[in-house]
């Protein structure tokens, strides 16, 4: 028995130390910027990831807004998408632990007790009673000679790492959405205030045009134009209120809150300068959590393909049992059996399963290439948008300065009676529209920074 146990122990050690089949991931047709990076992980370790605090601090450094910072803190605690992602991590962790357990033998312990009454010659007064007590143990172990269970364990581990990256990606998307909704609400509030002033001005213009039309100094077509301008301003004002309600409710959903604190008015702060990159290193792509999640999913698919392929080979199993009768004298009985089974009639089904896993592997390779190409285009677009919006903001500021100068000029002419009230009010509307335009441009500038933050995986590395 000792010899058999020694052999079993050696086989166990050999099976546990069998290396997993190499996961070869083709880098052909991948973007040239990523070609220096190895897409083969020899050891199943999670890709290096940054804590959400790094992304959080990055946003705080860019926007420097205490109210926004408070909302981000609430969202990371209360958001339901974060809670769902954490539950998926627990599920994947349980599956990984179960896969680890499949590498170990199964041990079952049993105990039994019985009492036998033997009435001699059917005489109830003569009772010969015997009591039996037995305990036993059964050991079963499937020796993983071809790495089927090890590959399944590695696949479960890679799926676990993928859920960790998915959580980080959920946090990244959440932070970006909170920032977008926050600045959109600020922009709408500012534009609503300016639009309310425009409504009053358009009403004054209509009154002035009506008086001038009645006096014969203006043609009646001016009256129709003034009425249309007022109607269009009223429609735009109602659309802004609708947009404010939608943005407000969207932010409530993200925060899982029933109300929001008083938001400060929009301030046009200077943002960090962004320099276009002439070359894009692979590390920029690989720090994105969605790419890391896709990589781990690809590794899991490769290990699943290995496991399905190993299922086509014979299986070696060891079974042992030991029983003891707890009576005098105590007796022990035991046995160790080995069995070698090979799939024959079900081989077609196993081959189909193996082909299915290989197809899933190829699908995930395509998904990875698509994710990388998408990430490259997002980064390129985000960098260009930041540069373009910075230029647009410069032009919008110049337009506002021009509008202020024109308004000052027309105000002086209006005070001395060189222009009528219709022209004066119209020029004031132009000044307000220039302010709305710069608000919209500044919002797009903020949104381009948020998009860049998201495209770089939560780290812009901008220089002020």
């Amino acid at each position: 028995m000792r010899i058999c146990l020694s052999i079993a122990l050696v086989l166990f050690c050999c099976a546990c130390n069998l290396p997993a089949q190499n996961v070869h991931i083709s880098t052909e047709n991948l973007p040239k910027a990523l070609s220096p990076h190895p897409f083969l992980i020899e050891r199943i370790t999670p890709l290096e990831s940054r804590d959400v605090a790094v992304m959080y601090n990055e946003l705080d450094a860019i926007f420097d807004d205490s109210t926004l910072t408070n909302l981000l803190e609430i969202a990371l605690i209360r958001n339901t998408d974060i809670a769902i992602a954490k539950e998926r991590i627990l599920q994947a962790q349980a599956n990984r632990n179960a896969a680890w357990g499949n590498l170990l033998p199964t041990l079952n312990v049993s105990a039994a007790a019985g009492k036998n009454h033997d009435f001699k010659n059917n005489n109830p007064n003569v009772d010969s009673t015997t009591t039996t007590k037995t305990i036993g143990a059964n050991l079963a172990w499937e020796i993983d000679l071809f790495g089927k269970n090890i590959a399944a364990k590695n696949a479960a581990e890679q799926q676990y790492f993928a859920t960790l990256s998915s959580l980080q990606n959920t946090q990244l998307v959440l932070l970006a959405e909170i920032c977008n909704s926050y600045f959109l609400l600020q922009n709408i509030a500012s534009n609503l205030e300016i639009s309310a002033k425009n409504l009053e001005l358009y009403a004054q213009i209509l009154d002035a045009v009506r008086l001038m039309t009645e006096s014969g100094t203006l043609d009646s077509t001016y009256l129709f134009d003034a009425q249309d301008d007022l109607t269009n301003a009223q429609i735009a004002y109602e659309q802004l209120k609708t947009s404010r309600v939608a943005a407000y409710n969207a932010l409530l959903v993200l925060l899982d809150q029933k109300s929001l604190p008083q938001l400060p008015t929009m301030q046009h702060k200077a943002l960090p300068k962004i320099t276009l990159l002439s070359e894009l290193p692979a590390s920029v792509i690989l720090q994105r959590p969605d790419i890391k999640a896709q990589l781990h999913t690809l590794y899991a698919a490769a290990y699943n393909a290995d496991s399905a392929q190993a299922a086509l080979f014979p299986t070696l199993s060891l079974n042992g049992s030991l029983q003891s009768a707890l009576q005098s004298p105590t007796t022990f009985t035991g046995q160790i059996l080995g069995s070698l089974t090979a799939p024959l009639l079900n081989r077609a089904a196993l081959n189909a399963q193996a082909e299915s896993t290989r197809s899933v592997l190829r699908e995930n390779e395509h998904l990875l290439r698509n994710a990388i190409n998408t990430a490259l285009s997002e980064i390129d677009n985000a960098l260009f948008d930041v540069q373009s919006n910075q230029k647009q903001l410069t032009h919008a500021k110049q337009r506002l300065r021009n509008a202020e100068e024109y308004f000052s000029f027309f105000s002086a002419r209006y005070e001395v009676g060189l222009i009528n009230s219709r022209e004066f009010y119209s020029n004031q509307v132009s000044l307000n529209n220039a302010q709305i335009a710069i608000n919209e441009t500044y919002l797009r500038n903020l949104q381009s920074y948020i998009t860049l933050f998201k495209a770089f995986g939560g780290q812009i590395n901008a220089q002020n």
Side-chain angles (χ1 to χ4, degrees), residues 329-345:
T330 302
T331 59
F332 292 91
T333 58
Q335 63 177 357
I336 294 180
L337 300 176
S339 63
L340 186 65
T341 58
L344 295 177
L345 298 179

Side-chain angles (χ1 to χ4, degrees), residues 27-48:
T27 59
E28 187 179 359
N29 298 326
L30 286 176
K32 292 182 178 180
L34 296 174
S35 56
H37 189 87
F39 277 85
L40 174 64
I41 291 185
E42 298 289 347
R43 303 292 181 183
I44 47 172
T45 55
L47 295 174
E48 181 181 358

Side-chain angles (χ1 to χ4, degrees), residues 10-284:
V10 171
L11 289 174
F12 175 77
C13 295
C14 292
C16 290
N17 286 301
L18 281 175
Q21 298 186 27
N22 287 335
V23 183
H24 176 70
I25 301 172
S26 175
T27 59
E28 187 179 359
N29 298 326
L30 286 176
K32 292 182 178 180
L34 296 174
S35 56
H37 189 87
F39 277 85
L40 174 64
I41 291 185
E42 298 289 347
R43 303 292 181 183
I44 47 172
T45 55
L47 295 174
E48 181 181 358
S49 61
R50 288 187 313 281
D51 188 80
V52 66
V54 177
M55 299 186 290
Y56 173 86
N57 293 332
E58 182 84 9
L59 288 175
D60 186 51
I62 294 173
F63 300 121
D64 189 23
D65 190 318
S66 59
T67 305
L68 175 61
T69 300
N70 181 50
L71 294 180
L72 295 176
E73 292 176 352
I74 295 174
L76 291 174
I77 296 173
R78 301 271 306 177
N79 183 261
T80 53
D81 288 334
I82 300 294
I84 292 171
K86 290 181 178 178
E87 291 298 328
R88 289 175 179 169
I89 290 176
L90 295 178
Q91 296 166 17
Q93 189 176 23
N95 292 334
R96 182 187 64 169
N97 295 338
W100 267 102
N102 291 333
L103 296 175
L104 304 175
T106 59
L107 177 63
N108 299 315
V109 179
S110 61
K115 182 178 288 188
N116 182 37
H117 297 276
D118 185 12
F119 299 100
K120 294 183 178 181
N121 300 323
N122 295 326
N123 186 354
N125 296 322
V126 181
D127 184 8
S128 177
T129 301
T130 58
T131 301
T132 58
K133 297 178 181 179
T134 60
I135 60 172
N138 294 292
L139 181 69
W141 179 38
E142 178 184 337
I143 301 175
D144 196 22
L145 291 177
F146 297 98
K148 180 183 72 173
N149 293 335
I150 290 180
K153 181 266 298 180
N154 290 344
E157 197 160 37
Q158 289 299 321
Q159 287 290 358
Y160 169 69
F161 296 150
T163 58
L164 294 177
S165 296
S166 295
L167 171 62
Q168 188 183 30
N169 187 60
T170 302
Q171 293 168 332
L172 172 63
V173 172
L174 174 64
L175 294 177
E177 290 180 348
I178 292 291
C179 292
N180 276 323
S181 298
Y182 174 77
F183 291 125
L184 178 60
L185 273 175
Q186 282 190 326
N187 175 73
I188 293 174
S190 178
N191 289 344
L192 272 173
E193 183 179 351
I194 299 174
S195 297
K197 296 177 181 178
N198 278 348
L199 284 178
E200 296 178 0
L201 291 171
Y202 279 122
Q204 292 173 337
I205 291 174
L206 180 60
D207 292 339
V209 171
R210 182 178 290 110
L211 291 175
M212 297 175 70
T213 302
E214 292 174 353
S215 64
T217 57
L218 277 181
D219 187 73
S220 58
T221 56
Y222 287 95
L223 180 61
F224 299 145
D225 292 339
Q227 290 174 337
D228 286 341
D229 290 340
L230 178 59
T231 301
N232 291 333
Q234 290 170 337
I235 293 174
Y237 185 76
E238 292 301 322
Q239 290 175 342
L240 278 175
K241 291 199 296 184
T242 301
S243 299
R244 180 180 61 181
V245 172
Y248 186 88
N249 290 331
L251 190 54
L252 287 180
V253 172
L254 293 173
L255 297 173
D256 192 25
Q257 297 284 301
K258 295 182 179 179
S259 62
L260 292 178
Q262 183 66 33
L263 301 184
T265 57
M266 175 175 283
Q267 298 180 0
H268 294 189
K269 299 179 181 179
L271 296 174
K273 297 294 183 181
I274 300 296
T275 304
L276 289 172
L277 301 177
S278 58
E279 295 182 358
L280 189 62
S283 59
V284 173

Side-chain angles (χ1 to χ4, degrees), residues 62-63 269-274 390 393 442 445-446 448-449 463-464:
I62 294 173
F63 300 121
K269 299 179 181 179
L271 296 174
K273 297 294 183 181
I274 300 296
Q390 286 177 345
L393 184 59
Y442 185 71
N445 204 19
L446 291 171
S448 65
Y449 271 82
Q463 294 182 353
N464 292 321

Side-chain angles (χ1 to χ4, degrees), residues 253-383:
V253 172
L254 293 173
L255 297 173
D256 192 25
Q257 297 284 301
K258 295 182 179 179
S259 62
L260 292 178
Q262 183 66 33
L263 301 184
T265 57
M266 175 175 283
Q267 298 180 0
H268 294 189
K269 299 179 181 179
L271 296 174
K273 297 294 183 181
I274 300 296
T275 304
L276 289 172
L277 301 177
S278 58
E279 295 182 358
L280 189 62
S283 59
V284 173
I285 300 295
L286 293 175
Q287 74 180 3
R288 286 176 52 128
D290 58 336
I291 298 297
K292 290 186 291 185
Q294 188 59 52
L295 276 170
H296 286 304
T297 303
L298 177 60
Y299 299 147
Y303 282 122
N304 282 328
D306 287 347
S307 180
Q309 186 67 30
L312 296 170
F313 296 97
T315 301
L316 176 62
S317 300
L318 292 180
N319 295 276
S321 63
L322 179 65
Q323 290 186 345
S324 174
L326 301 180
Q327 58 188 12
S328 181
T330 302
T331 59
F332 292 91
T333 58
Q335 63 177 357
I336 294 180
L337 300 176
S339 63
L340 186 65
T341 58
L344 295 177
L345 298 179
N346 65 332
R347 194 170 186 82
L350 293 176
N351 274 317
Q353 181 65 27
E355 178 57 34
S356 175
T357 56
R358 288 192 292 270
S359 176
V360 172
L361 174 59
R362 292 192 296 270
E363 176 189 355
N364 277 279
E365 288 180 346
H366 296 314
L367 289 173
L368 176 61
R369 276 195 287 269
N370 183 65
I372 291 174
N373 288 330
T374 300
L376 287 170
S377 65
E378 287 178 353
I379 291 176
D380 191 35
N381 292 340
L383 286 170

